[in-house]
Amino acid sequence: MIKAILFDLDDTLLWDQKSVKEAFRATCKAADERYRLDPEILEKAVREAARKLYSNYEFYPFTQMIGINPFEGLWGNFLDENHEEFKKMKEKVPEYRKDAWTTGLKKLGVDDPDFGQELAERFPAERKKAPFVYEDTFKTLDALKGQYQLLLLTNGSPDLQNTKLTITPELSPYFDHIVISGAFGRGKPDPSIFEHALSLLSIDRDEAIMVGDNLMTDILGANRAGIQSVWINRHEKERNEVIPTYEIKHLNELFPILEKLK
Ligand SMILES: [Mg+2]
């Protein structure tokens, strides 16, 4: 019998990718107004530059283990004091942002590091202005609250994940526990963070079910920990070798699954 539901945050309950896209759109539009350039090509160039710069930093393996992507680096402050690697990130991100935007501009023939700096500061402001929640998130949580223990299991920097939760304050009150990988010390798919979640809930592995959008973190980790899983595949992504227990397209498809498991 299922007693608790473990939810992923980004792109499961919060539509992070849309927020990032919206922040790029607004920031690149400002660049278009100044320099008459194609905002979509600039976005592509900055995304590419960001990925490349990010993967060369000394703290890159840490970001992979905790689960912090290059675009989170473009707006997060990483004020977390609990780990040396977060301190390195905090020091490095201002330069990272400026370099990513300046390199992107250069790719389009604009050599203006001062403007790169301006855009680097603009992007975090735009990201904070654009939180998106999926239309079925609150309806689903409303129906589950009181029926099940709810635990939010999210990869990332505690400072940044808490910023996301502060911008969308309606979300946190649904959860009995919030577990953030950067505070725990290891991220999904490491089974230890799932075991930590079970111990907070005081339940066995067969009494929990994990719901998440990422096969390589949410579902792989649940599999490793021996927890049933629901892959929420809203955007028709391809399957790979990681097999979820269930696959759904909308959160309301959770209810027949939970009914069956009763
Ligand atoms: Mg996710």
Side-chain angles (χ1 to χ4, degrees):
M1 177 161 147
I2 299 297
K3 291 184 180 165
I5 305 171
L6 281 46
F7 274 104
D8 169 53
L9 178 64
D10 291 308
D11 299 311
T12 294
L13 302 175
L14 278 185
W15 196 349
D16 181 64
Q17 284 179 8
K18 183 170 172 171
S19 298
V20 169
K21 178 82 196 161
E22 190 51 37
F24 268 117
R25 199 199 53 76
T27 309
C28 293
K29 189 168 156 260
D32 179 24
E33 279 157 16
R34 172 81 64 99
Y35 278 109
R36 293 282 119 215
L37 43 76
D38 186 325
E40 279 178 32
I41 297 177
L42 178 62
E43 175 180 339
K44 200 166 162 246
V46 174
R47 282 182 186 257
E48 246 172 55
R51 280 197 201 96
K52 196 164 166 201
L53 288 163
Y54 197 74
S55 67
N56 282 314
Y57 291 129
E58 191 194 336
F59 51 72
Y60 182 63
F62 174 74
T63 66
Q64 289 215 299
M65 189 268 285
I66 296 296
I68 307 165
N69 72 47
F71 311 120
E72 293 180 308
L74 288 181
W75 73 289
N77 294 320
F78 310 104
L79 306 178
D80 312 280
E81 293 290 326
N82 63 319
H83 201 297
E84 275 310 305
E85 297 291 308
F86 280 129
K87 292 181 195 164
K88 287 184 202 160
M89 289 182 76
K90 182 179 90 177
E91 272 169 39
K92 198 75 185 177
V93 285
E95 179 190 317
Y96 163 60
R97 290 168 192 179
K98 182 179 180 181
D99 285 357
W101 283 96
T102 302
T103 306
L105 285 170
K106 258 195 196 142
K107 191 99 188 275
L108 277 80
V110 174
D111 187 5
D112 188 346
D114 289 341
F115 190 52
Q117 171 75 40
E118 223 176 278
L119 296 178
E121 288 168 19
R122 176 82 179 252
F123 183 84
E126 296 292 347
R127 174 61 186 79
K128 283 180 207 140
K129 271 197 265 174
F132 291 99
V133 180
Y134 284 104
E135 37 86 27
D136 52 359
T137 293
F138 291 122
K139 233 190 296 174
T140 305
L141 293 174
D142 276 328
L144 295 173
K145 182 82 185 155
Q147 307 292 316
Y148 298 92
Q149 291 194 74
L150 300 177
L151 183 144
L152 192 63
L153 185 58
T154 177
N155 271 359
S157 137
D159 177 56
L160 183 56
Q161 296 312 90
N162 283 320
T163 300
K164 293 176 189 171
L165 293 171
T166 307
I167 303 173
T168 308
E170 303 85 357
L171 220 39
S172 309
Y174 285 99
F175 293 95
D176 302 290
H177 303 277
I178 294 176
V179 176
I180 303 174
S181 64
F184 173 70
R186 302 200 71 82
K188 300 173 280 185
D190 195 293
S192 64
I193 193 167
F194 291 83
E195 283 150 15
H196 174 62
L198 295 178
S199 78
L200 287 174
L201 295 160
S202 309
I203 59 169
D204 291 327
R205 61 194 69 237
D206 58 351
E207 294 173 317
I209 192 161
M210 173 76 209
V211 181
D213 71 296
N214 191 319
L215 287 173
M216 300 318 288
T217 54
D218 304 312
I219 308 305
L220 180 59
N223 286 353
R224 285 178 175 166
I227 296 171
Q228 299 193 75
S229 61
V230 178
W231 183 36
I232 173 121
N233 185 14
R234 299 178 191 269
H235 307 292
E236 288 172 0
K237 278 187 267 181
E238 292 284 319
R239 281 236 191 169
N240 62 21
E241 70 281 4
V242 178
I243 309 299
T245 322
Y246 303 95
E247 177 178 337
I248 61 176
K249 207 169 155 37
H250 300 283
L251 285 177
N252 61 15
E253 292 167 64
L254 266 180
F255 296 102
I257 293 171
L258 292 169
E259 200 53 42
K260 210 174 83 183
L261 291 172
K262 265 188 183 158

